[in-house]
Amino acid sequence: MKKKKKKSKVEEPEEVLSEVQGEEDEEGLTPEERRILERKIKKERKKEEKQQMKEAGVSAQETEPVKPSGSEMAQDYLTCWSKNRKDWSFKKTRQTWLLKHMFDSEKVPDELFDVLLEYLDGLKGGARETTVKAAESVIRDCEDSEDSAAAVKAGRAREVIQLLSS
């Protein structure tokens, strides 16, 4: 005697839709069946739109919202720290970005560098030591260069060392 295979209780969405469409009209659907049907219709519409755009020669590029740059976010972070400490909160990523780019006058403008120096004065522990070492490294790298940007970097590095070594 052969055993009959049991049908799996989990049905594919297409099977559910075909059963639902065959037996009932759209108004008699359960909420779950309606969601499945809506998803399928939406997917088909999107596929058709993509095909039409492809035929028309237009690429289907989705535009992402413009995010502020690291420099802008760091400037906002420092400005908030200096002017509105009550609403300011520490953000490791912003501090890391600032420590990495503090010698670059294009990324951290001069007027913001003074605020950054005040911020660095509160730096403690390993970050303080690492920052001093990074500043010393920048000075060594800029000694041989006669470039004006290198001179600005070296000047900033000296200010950082003077502040954090005391």
Side-chain angles (χ1 to χ4, degrees):
M1 187 178 205
K2 288 185 178 179
K3 289 184 179 179
K4 292 183 180 178
K5 288 184 179 177
K6 291 184 180 179
K7 288 186 179 178
S8 67
K9 291 187 179 186
V10 179
E11 297 178 337
E12 294 295 318
E14 289 80 20
E15 293 172 3
V16 172
L17 282 172
S18 62
E19 289 175 13
V20 168
Q21 288 172 342
E23 295 173 5
E24 302 176 24
D25 61 344
E26 201 172 307
E27 293 174 2
L29 299 177
T30 66
E32 179 63 25
E33 293 166 337
R34 187 178 306 270
R35 274 194 298 275
I36 292 171
L37 182 62
E38 287 171 354
R39 278 190 228 134
K40 183 175 183 182
I41 291 170
K42 184 178 177 183
K43 187 176 179 181
E44 288 175 356
R45 283 185 188 149
K46 202 170 189 178
K47 192 175 182 180
E48 288 173 5
E49 288 174 7
K50 192 174 180 181
Q51 182 65 30
Q52 289 174 352
M53 288 179 74
K54 192 174 183 180
E55 289 172 358
V58 178
S59 63
Q61 293 179 344
E62 294 183 20
T63 56
E64 293 184 20
V66 178
K67 296 180 182 177
S69 69
S71 178
E72 292 170 345
M73 290 189 290
Q75 287 179 14
D76 292 344
Y77 177 76
L78 274 180
T79 304
C80 183
W81 176 84
S82 68
K83 294 184 179 176
N84 194 1
R85 247 185 244 163
K86 189 173 24 170
D87 294 336
W88 174 83
S89 64
F90 175 76
K91 292 184 175 86
K92 181 71 173 171
T93 53
R94 298 291 162 266
Q95 179 176 308
T96 303
W97 190 93
L98 285 165
L99 293 176
K100 184 176 181 182
H101 299 283
M102 69 180 154
F103 305 115
D104 188 348
S105 59
E106 291 179 12
K107 294 184 178 176
V108 180
D110 290 333
E111 59 274 2
L112 200 62
F113 186 70
D114 294 331
V115 177
L116 178 62
L117 287 175
E118 291 176 38
Y119 176 80
L120 292 177
D121 196 25
L123 208 57
K124 296 184 173 147
R128 190 177 188 102
E129 294 169 11
T130 306
T131 304
V132 169
K133 287 178 184 176
E136 290 170 347
S137 173
V138 166
I139 290 173
R140 278 192 301 268
D141 294 344
C142 294
E143 282 177 347
D144 300 332
S145 180
E146 294 181 16
D147 185 24
S148 63
V152 171
K153 279 185 177 184
R156 286 184 169 204
R158 284 186 194 93
E159 287 185 60
V160 168
I161 291 173
Q162 184 178 4
L163 174 76
L164 298 180
S165 295
S166 56

